[in-house]
Amino acid sequence: MFDSLRVLEIGDGVAAAYAARLLADQGAEVIKVEAPSGDPARRRGPFEAEEDPEQSGFFLALNLGKHGVVVDESDGSRTLDQLLDWATIVVHSLPPAEAVARGLDAPTLNARRADLIVLAMTPFGQTGPYRDLQASELTIAHAGGWASLCPMSRREESYPPLKVHGHHCSLMAGVAGATAALATLRDTLVTGQGEYIDFSVVEYVASVLEFGVHVYTYHDMVIKRTATRSLIPWRIFDTQDGEIFLVCVEQDQWERLVEFMGHPEWATLEVFETNADRAENQDVLHTFLEGYISEWKTFDLYHAAQKHRVCLAPVFTFEQLAIDEHLNDRAFFTTVDGVRHIAPAQIINGERPHYRRGAPRLGEHNDQLETLSAASPPAARGEPKRPLEGVRVIDMTWVWAGPFGSMNLAHLGAEVIRVESSVRPDLYRRGNAAPEGIEPSLNTSGMFNQWNQGKRSVALDLRTPEGIDIVKGLIAEADVVFQNFATGVLERMGLDYDVMRAINPRIILASVSGYGQTGPYRTYMGYGPATGPLAGLASATGYPGEGPEETGVAMPDPTAGITAAYAVTGALLRREDTGEGEHLDVTLWEATAALTVEAWMEYSQRGTQAERIGNRDPHMAPHGCYRAAGDDQWVTIACRDEDEWQRLRDIIPGLGPARFDDLAGRKANEDELDQLVTEWTSMRDRWFVTGELQAIGIAAFPTFTTQDVVEDSHFNARAFIERLPHPEVGRRAHTGIPWRMNVRPNGVKKTAPAIGADTDDVLVDILGREPAEVEALRQKGVLQ
């Protein structure tokens, strides 16, 4: 299947480049088109020594496995036409006007080749009020709402909203883009109908804001980076030789921590008895914990506490990641052309995929252009459908990582059947939360309703033999099982992959966990909030001159979820050739670490740890988040080159001194430069600043809160904000799907299910049970 998949990459966007690389990771032949000057990533570095555009770490990591050609726009139209005829999938990052000018817009390409799949990955998408705005990674992080929630470890508003290190937003969006493209390919091979996927990177960021959107739409609260945590303890603490993160999500975890510490007298105080008590007295509690943790060495405490099932995670540096025994046991690093890279973030049937080649040199494969043959389009055999329509997924997930991954499969058209129980409901169901005036129930939690859209629900007590038998019956009728239980739980339930495969040799099992199904730490407890420190992201993220920071949102959860969804779409295509299913092993740790591209490559090529620089960038200045007029209002500005700098200089007073003439001078005097920019922005409305600077081609945009995301005209014009009727909470805004299809259906199919809402229909229609038998199971307590 993948041997015949041809991918053409055009443009220089990070999200598009990473999506194309992920298609190469699956086995596709990818040709990257560059201008004679080369992709800007070639000049970004990091470099081992002197600047060499063939050895930029960022470029090398983004373009593993690809071929490369140079096409001169002035006389390259014929070459581009030849490449378009050759391709099965086109991935591009061109702004709308440029896409039209180059004939890469939806109407032109559909008329040219109706079977072609196009993945257009741009900051704001190809439609909507903001489609033509300039944007950088800084813009995306702040416009998507993530920065407004980051780091959530400081209560002082003097600290600006924070962008995490590197190009994390674009890279995680690239995973989602590759997932949508692979899913669409499956339907194109059946119907012969291609697609134009209009993917907004900002919308993807806005789609993963954890608690942010539902707290606003269900409870009329706007949570920001200065909010206090409600689950305590939760913090990065200093040890004797580093830093370590601690979180206790549930009461039993706190009790295990107290036991691990030897029941110190202070831990038994009534003011720390319940989570509500601990949240109310968190400063005092954290002070006690500081004293205890400071007496330990980081990794001694980590391993000792984890063996006691307490969730601690070191703030890993990249040097520590490189030598970690668990990651190396799982072959998470690989050497290509003499450079040590992070390997693909999935294990398939116990084996880690390998890169087939390194990144291409500029124009390396131009001499092969004459040998390219046109693609053979599949015959048109039916109406296009949602890409995964006809795929049945048994969803045995809870909390966030697993549900997010399976929800995206539902967004792509799969029938997703949640297997759950009111006896031990999902943590997000049992928050006892409901909008004001609505009686709380297991169906009124915004956290659950946000992350389980489009699914069905079957309520089973899996402690019963009959419940397990029903699951086995569903496996026999399914294509995919998606689960994120702790490692070993499925085996104890009698549902390991060997059992599933005996029932259904075509079944694909996607297992998402903190540490994986193998390796010395496989039984360790992992949560999304703990994985940012574990993956090295916290060590590189923070304000200049200060310590490591959290990421605000537990982004490793959805990152692992979408990585598993990407793995599933690849497995579905491979199954068309092999007829067999696969066991996919995806971890929060590896899925997150795989996106720390720049920081890892800095260590890999130079042996140095990435510096914490806040909202700044090593290659741009000014580049930051600046105060605007009003209470806690902020606006971002990114000057990407010298032309933009000169235009900014003409608008903002005081930027004329010769010390600011070049980038080196601006970086050397960056504190002064940022102060001058702040003096100008702080007297002006954030939208005024945005309008003034966008009008002269400079990437500027406000820092969006979750309220801004929900109410924004652009997001609503693109139907990204969904307001479907729910039987218990009514119409509440939820973030929807960050891409728009051109010929296939769009939009979320339905709201999250009430618990057990589909039990009878599933047992009768799919398993062939008689209604009387179903009722008997209910009376026996199996269905609950």
Side-chain angles (χ1 to χ4, degrees), residues 731-754:
R731 291 185 183 273
R732 303 280 164 178
H734 299 89
T735 54
I737 303 174
W739 61 81
R740 305 290 295 169
M741 300 283 188
N742 189 48
V743 299
R744 287 172 173 79
N746 284 301
V748 174
K749 293 184 291 186
K750 59 183 180 179
T751 59

Side-chain angles (χ1 to χ4, degrees), residues 374-395:
S376 299
R381 294 190 295 272
E383 292 297 315
K385 306 178 296 294
R386 290 179 187 262
L388 295 183
E389 192 168 321
V391 172
R392 180 173 290 145
V393 179
I394 307 306
D395 181 0

Side-chain angles (χ1 to χ4, degrees), residues 13 15 35 56 98 161 176 306 361 375 378 409 431 441 512 555 570 599 667 724 743:
S56 163
E98 186 177 351
Q306 280 284 0
R361 297 187 302 277
L409 297 179
S441 77
V512 178
M555 203 59 79
K667 296 299 292 184
L724 298 175
V743 299

Side-chain angles (χ1 to χ4, degrees), residues 136-139 141-142 147-148 150 159-165 225 541-544 612-618 620 622-626 634-638 667 670 674 703:
S136 69
E137 178 72 12
L138 178 72
T139 315
H142 286 259
S148 76
C150 186
Y159 286 91
L162 181 64
K163 169 191 161 303
V164 301
H165 186 273
R225 70 200 182 285
T541 296
Y543 300 100
R612 292 184 284 273
I613 56 176
N615 290 294
R616 291 176 174 174
D617 185 276
M620 304 180 220
H623 185 283
C625 179
Y626 303 95
W634 301 84
V635 65
T636 60
I637 300 172
K667 296 299 292 184
E670 199 159 13
D674 282 344
T703 299

